[in-house]
Amino acid sequence: MAGGQTKKAGGEGKKGGGETKKGGKKKEVKKETGLGLSYKKDENFGEWYSEVVVHGEMIEYYDISGCYILRPWTMSIWEAMQEFFDAEIKKLKIKNCYFPLFVSPTVLQKEKEHVEGFAPEVAWVTKSGQSDLEVPIAIRPTSETVMYPYYSKWIRGHRDLPLKLNQWCNVVRWEFSNPTPFIRSREFLWQEGHTAFATKAEADEEVLDILELYRRVYEEYLAIPVIKGKKSELEKFAGGLYTTSVEAFIPNTGRGIQGATSHCLGQNFAKMFEINFEDEKGEKAMVWQNSWAYSTRTIGVMVMVHGDDKGLVLPPKVAAVQVIVIPVPFKDADTQGIFDACTSTVNTLTEAGIHAEADLRDNYSPGWKYSHWELKGVPLRIEIGPRDLANSQVRVVRRDNSAKVDIPMASLVEQVKDLLVTIQKSLYDVATQKRDACIQKVTTWDEFIEALGQKKLILAPWCDEEEVEKDVKARTKGEMGACKTLCTPFEQPDLPEGTLCFASGKPAKKWSYWGRSY
Ligand code: 87F
């Protein structure tokens, strides 16, 4: 991997102010502004990522490893996605609620089978002040065990169904491997939906309705292409019946990343937590359940996919500031007139519903401001100088491709709106081209190994046997981590009779995506 990159991209990175990390090339920091990034995305992706999230003012490192401060620039992105998703689930008659952060050990244990594997990641509160708690209390890593005892209490008859709840909250998973801002942190924000139905058919339908919303969060808001599909038996949520996901891909590292999951839990939890109801015939029946979540990981994927050597690149639909207006005064030109034009430009755009701000600070040069707002990824920059003032125009510069255009004030709103739509689409198109260029269809083991070495997203015919996936994992284990299935895409290419599994040579049942992953 280029530039001595560590196993996973990101990592703890720089913690203090300005200290130099060992390994990886350092670029000259821009003389004029002092704002340039030290690392290039293609040369040292991990360090580049850490630097971008900090200098872009999204994250601040914290003195507890794996915990990060989410700054306002991050929260506004989270809120933009939240606003969309929350409104959509309300259309599906899902209601918001809030359950406690703490879980009692007895309830947590109730669900032994699947909790066992996750147990090392559960954080416990053992003291209050200096005294030991009589019974230690767990902090939720997810809320099945917190919520389902009450589902059992609240669901009595078929008229109590469906029960469809969601909560926006934080969860804690005490990860030990390579913490990375947004991607793998010990505390993160998410929404978790937990629903219960009388029939499997209703549950099945909702799994896909939610998955479609996740696709839209990624594709329409974050401008990131995702693949919808089903997880293998090995990779599904062990407590459930089947798991669907949206999968994204990071071309720089050649790793897949699970974007969000929508699970059908079947009746496993209903059995454990005795979530029963009296059906229309008066007979006792068990509910069918789903659970689904997306987290602040989405934001990390966005940074990794769109960011460049100048910093963050924010899709207009999630950017807190879509247009930054910068005055460019010149010698004895009419400075007040230029500043007034900046303010009135912001007012005009704001009235039209565009998120615009002016940077009128007098202690920074225009050049410094350009770099600063580029680093923060603002989609459009408007520059207003003496010539613009004289011509009743503004100069507009795109963050994504640096294209410049002069716009007459008379058509400002219309053209800025168009440009924001164009940028949103262009980010998606470019990301899709890059992702698609990494997809490699293979049919043999040799082709598979070659593609893996080239950091490809591999589509291969598979026999769908768990032992074979375990074997592939074992045979590809190394410094960079093992290769596994990412998903079996719902959209399947033709599978001609007689096609064999790339790994076992047995008859193939499906095409699946394989790759290293986060
Ligand atoms: C860590 C510690 C304890 C993941 C854990 O995906 C338990 C768990 O159950 C655990 N890490 N999981 C699986 C979470 C499954 C499911 N929960 C609701 C979701 C969607 C939201």
Side-chain angles (χ1 to χ4, degrees):
M1 214 174 266
Q5 193 182 307
T6 44
K7 184 182 152 214
K8 303 268 167 79
E12 286 284 79
K14 241 189 275 184
K15 285 180 184 160
E19 91 199 56
T20 309
K21 281 282 288 189
K22 30 182 197 324
K25 258 184 271 166
K26 270 222 152 197
K27 190 186 81 174
E28 271 284 293
V29 170
K30 270 193 214 161
K31 286 231 171 57
E32 188 202 355
T33 63
L35 285 177
L37 295 174
S38 317
Y39 295 95
K40 292 205 158 149
K41 190 178 185 184
D42 289 340
E43 286 175 7
N44 192 333
F45 185 78
E47 294 294 350
W48 167 85
Y49 179 76
S50 305
E51 202 175 20
V52 164
V53 294
V54 173
H55 291 194
E57 299 181 335
M58 298 191 77
I59 286 284
E60 189 64 74
Y61 280 88
Y62 192 63
D63 70 345
I64 295 173
S65 169
C67 296
Y68 309 93
I69 298 163
L70 307 183
R71 300 184 66 182
W73 206 239
T74 292
M75 285 311 289
S76 57
I77 297 169
W78 182 242
E79 284 166 1
M81 290 188 270
Q82 185 172 26
E83 194 184 331
F84 163 75
F85 190 81
D86 201 63
E88 288 298 323
I89 59 175
K90 279 172 181 155
K91 289 184 201 164
L92 297 173
K93 304 223 165 67
I94 292 153
K95 294 198 168 85
N96 280 328
C97 62
Y98 188 79
F99 281 74
L101 171 67
F102 299 114
V103 198
S104 74
T106 39
V107 176
L108 191 70
Q109 291 315 321
K110 189 154 184 175
E111 210 233 325
K112 258 197 235 114
E113 244 170 68
H114 105 266
V115 156
E116 242 162 53
F118 295 119
E121 287 181 15
V122 178
W124 295 85
V125 178
T126 58
K127 285 190 164 199
S128 82
Q130 289 309 309
S131 28
D132 290 340
L133 293 188
E134 212 165 288
V135 186
I137 292 167
I139 301 174
R140 66 176 165 226
T142 176
S143 301
E144 281 81 356
T145 58
V146 178
M147 296 167 88
Y148 297 168
Y150 300 89
Y151 280 43
S152 168
K153 178 177 180 201
W154 295 337
I155 297 167
R156 289 280 165 243
H158 61 90
R159 286 178 200 85
D160 301 322
L161 293 172
L163 178 60
K164 304 204 267 190
L165 300 181
N166 176 69
Q167 65 178 359
W168 294 94
C169 64
N170 59 340
V171 286
V172 171
R173 295 179 186 173
W174 214 251
E175 302 266 2
F176 290 93
S177 65
N178 192 45
T180 304
F182 299 121
I183 303 294
R184 193 177 297 102
S185 56
R186 286 175 163 177
E187 179 187 0
F188 56 85
L189 305 183
W190 75 353
Q191 61 64 218
E192 52 178 319
H194 295 267
T195 52
F197 301 90
T199 64
K200 178 166 185 293
E202 289 169 273
D204 286 336
E205 188 183 340
E206 190 207 54
V207 165
L208 295 184
D209 287 345
I210 296 295
L211 196 67
E212 171 63 6
L213 293 180
Y214 291 149
R215 181 196 68 76
R216 291 182 62 193
V217 166
Y218 273 93
E219 298 197 340
E220 293 177 13
Y221 283 77
L222 300 174
I224 294 168
V226 289
I227 296 160
K228 277 181 171 181
K230 195 173 161 196
K231 288 283 186 182
S232 68
E233 281 303 300
L234 205 58
E235 291 299 323
K236 76 171 191 185
F237 172 37
L241 187 57
Y242 64 89
T243 294
T244 67
S245 70
V246 289
E247 300 284 330
F249 185 73
I250 311 297
N252 288 77
T253 55
R255 287 180 192 273
I257 183 158
Q258 182 174 289
T261 49
S262 180
H263 312 280
C264 179
L265 302 178
Q267 296 180 308
N268 298 348
F269 287 89
K271 238 171 261 158
M272 274 179 293
F273 288 91
E274 297 175 63
I275 314 177
N276 307 312
F277 68 103
E278 200 180 278
D279 68 16
E280 274 152 345
K281 291 178 233 138
E283 284 162 17
K284 191 178 146 184
M286 261 187 296
V287 298
W288 293 85
Q289 288 177 278
N290 292 341
S291 77
W292 28 272
Y294 80 91
S295 73
T296 35
R297 167 180 271 209
T298 45
I299 299 171
V301 182
M302 180 207 76
V303 173
M304 288 183 170
V305 168
H306 298 306
D308 66 18
D309 289 343
K310 290 197 265 183
L312 297 167
V313 177
L314 302 184
K317 277 179 92 164
V318 295
V321 178
Q322 297 168 314
V323 181
I324 186 72
V325 181
I326 297 173
V328 192
F330 188 74
K331 285 185 187 160
D332 44 7
D334 176 10
T335 301
Q336 191 55 49
I338 289 171
F339 274 61
D340 291 347
C342 288
T343 305
S344 85
T345 299
V346 167
N347 290 342
T348 306
L349 293 172
T350 306
E351 272 163 32
I354 297 163
H355 305 312
E357 277 180 20
D359 187 347
L360 303 179
R361 289 176 290 181
D362 60 8
N363 55 333
Y364 293 105
S365 68
W368 187 94
K369 290 176 185 173
Y370 296 171
S371 299
H372 173 74
W373 294 104
E374 279 172 357
L375 191 49
K376 288 175 67 88
V378 170
L380 277 182
R381 171 170 89 228
I382 288 184
E383 306 167 4
I384 303 181
R387 201 176 60 92
D388 304 300
L389 197 60
N391 297 341
S392 293
Q393 63 178 34
V394 295
R395 161 147 292 202
V396 181
V397 185
R398 278 172 64 166
R399 173 65 183 87
D400 63 324
N401 65 4
S402 307
K404 297 180 166 85
V405 54
D406 290 328
I407 294 180
M409 279 306 278
S411 61
L412 179 76
V413 166
E414 192 191 326
Q415 291 206 47
V416 166
K417 273 190 177 167
D418 282 354
L419 271 171
L420 291 172
V421 171
T422 304
I423 293 169
Q424 183 78 30
K425 178 167 190 314
S426 176
L427 285 175
Y428 177 79
D429 290 344
V430 170
T432 305
Q433 276 166 24
K434 286 189 187 158
R435 195 269 319 259
D436 289 351
C438 293
I439 296 178
Q440 181 82 43
K441 242 174 153 182
V442 308
T443 52
T444 66
W445 180 259
D446 288 347
E447 286 172 359
F448 169 77
I449 289 297
E450 191 189 347
L452 193 61
Q454 296 166 340
K455 301 203 271 193
K456 298 283 189 188
L457 170 53
I458 303 167
L459 186 57
W462 180 36
C463 61
D464 197 14
E465 286 180 20
E466 203 169 315
E467 286 311 312
V468 174
E469 181 170 7
K470 282 187 183 156
D471 187 49
V472 172
K473 271 185 161 175
R475 287 160 80 184
T476 56
K477 211 156 112 189
E479 213 184 291
M480 319 235 294
C483 176
K484 60 184 193 188
T485 55
L486 303 172
C487 74
T488 294
F490 291 146
E491 224 172 85
Q492 285 278 312
D494 234 20
L495 187 69
E497 274 275 337
T499 306
L500 302 179
C501 169
F502 78 101
S504 69
K506 294 178 190 175
K509 296 208 177 103
K510 49 173 70 161
W511 289 92
S512 294
Y513 280 104
W514 296 73
R516 295 200 173 88
S517 70
Y518 280 93

